[in-house]
Amino acid sequence: KNEVEQSPQNLTAQEGEFITINCSYSVGISALHWLQQHPGGGIVSLFMLSSGKKKHGRLIATINIQEKHSSLHITASHPRDSAVYICAVRSYNTDKLIFGTGTRLQVFP
Amino acid sequence: NAGVTQTPKFQVLKTGQSMTLQCAQDMNHEYMSWYRQDPGMGLRLIHYSVGAGITDQGEVPNGYNVSRSTTEDFPLRLLSAAPSQTSVYFCASSQTEYTEAFFGQGTRLTVV
């Protein structure tokens, strides 16, 4: 079993829909990252959080340390949100990042 | 503001050839790292550096060498390419190991 599991693996949505991507992990962590990988391949950091909730524009990230779970929400989704979203956790023991395999999101007009 | 610049973007190598993937950052970041991304797997750490003159191995270092002679540059060398090294490679930098990472555009390497 992977230490970082994302669900769903693939997600399609109509423009305007509310999107939720989930990340569960099995190790103790000091921080969790959400990354966006564009169709062209580049990776951009969206959030880094260790507790609570962060918001940037239409994106919201939450984390529940006790349940070892994080969610990334996209409100009023748009075709330009189409990308692969990657969850990564920093292991408390090794200090290294462990990456999930990503969730591929396609938003259609 | 260039950020993290990786070259080349695409490369095809024959088995046994050597090459260097270049990575440069202009943000004066101390921490730099190389990852590989394979289908169905998360990014895996190859090598990393916490500052000029200091490098260390990550999760999958075999077949790769790195050096960090300056803060700006962190090249990744493939000594003798193998088909198993076919992958997409990403360089990343951050102020420290614990802060936001900035990624390069990636290098798609095919070894035939």
Side-chain angles (χ1 to χ4, degrees):
Chain A
K1 189 178 188 303
N2 293 335
E3 293 167 304
V4 179
E5 297 272 3
Q6 289 186 235
S7 63
Q9 285 188 310
N10 295 283
L11 184 55
T12 58
Q14 289 295 123
E15 184 173 357
E17 285 185 5
F18 181 84
I19 304 292
T20 295
I21 299 170
N22 297 298
C23 176
S24 295
Y25 52 91
S26 58
V27 297
I29 71 168
S30 55
L32 182 143
H33 298 252
W34 281 103
L35 309 167
Q36 180 191 54
Q37 185 168 20
H38 297 290
I43 297 175
V44 174
S45 177
L46 297 176
F47 295 104
M48 184 174 72
L49 65 166
S50 55
S51 65
K53 175 175 161 178
K54 286 192 175 181
K55 184 175 189 290
H56 185 258
R58 294 179 295 105
L59 272 59
I60 303 166
T62 65
I63 187 169
N64 185 318
I65 296 293
Q66 286 74 27
E67 294 186 5
K68 295 188 173 178
H69 181 269
S70 175
S71 292
L72 177 68
H73 305 287
I74 305 174
T75 62
S77 59
H78 190 276
R80 66 173 173 266
D81 296 326
S82 298
V84 175
Y85 292 85
I86 300 170
C87 171
V89 302
R90 182 168 300 284
S91 164
Y92 186 81
N93 283 343
T94 67
D95 250 359
K96 294 295 175 279
L97 287 174
I98 306 170
F99 291 80
T101 55
T103 293
R104 183 175 300 276
L105 170 65
Q106 289 184 289
V107 182
F108 293 99
Chain B
N1 190 359
V4 180
T5 303
Q6 256 185 265
T7 55
K9 195 162 174 61
F10 299 96
Q11 183 71 50
V12 178
L13 287 179
K14 293 183 179 178
T15 297
Q17 286 186 316
S18 63
M19 79 157 296
T20 299
L21 307 186
Q22 301 292 344
C23 177
Q25 51 93 8
D26 62 359
M27 296 171 282
N28 203 32
H29 285 169
E30 292 294 331
Y31 186 82
M32 296 186 74
S33 52
W34 276 101
Y35 294 91
R36 59 178 289 172
Q37 185 179 41
D38 299 295
M41 303 181 75
L43 277 78
R44 292 182 292 169
L45 182 65
I46 304 171
H47 284 285
Y48 65 97
S49 168
V50 298
I54 307 168
T55 64
D56 207 345
Q57 296 181 348
E59 182 185 353
V60 287
N62 291 343
Y64 308 95
N65 272 358
V66 292
S67 59
R68 184 93 181 271
S69 56
T70 67
T71 299
E72 294 78 19
D73 299 297
F74 190 46
L76 178 73
R77 280 182 288 277
L78 279 72
L79 308 171
S80 177
S84 61
Q85 294 178 303
T86 293
S87 187
V88 180
Y89 292 84
F90 286 95
C91 176
S93 77
S94 52
Q95 188 53 52
T96 74
E97 191 169 0
Y98 307 102
T99 53
E100 179 189 7
F102 294 81
F103 287 81
Q105 288 297 301
T107 297
R108 184 173 294 275
L109 175 68
T110 303
V111 183
V112 297

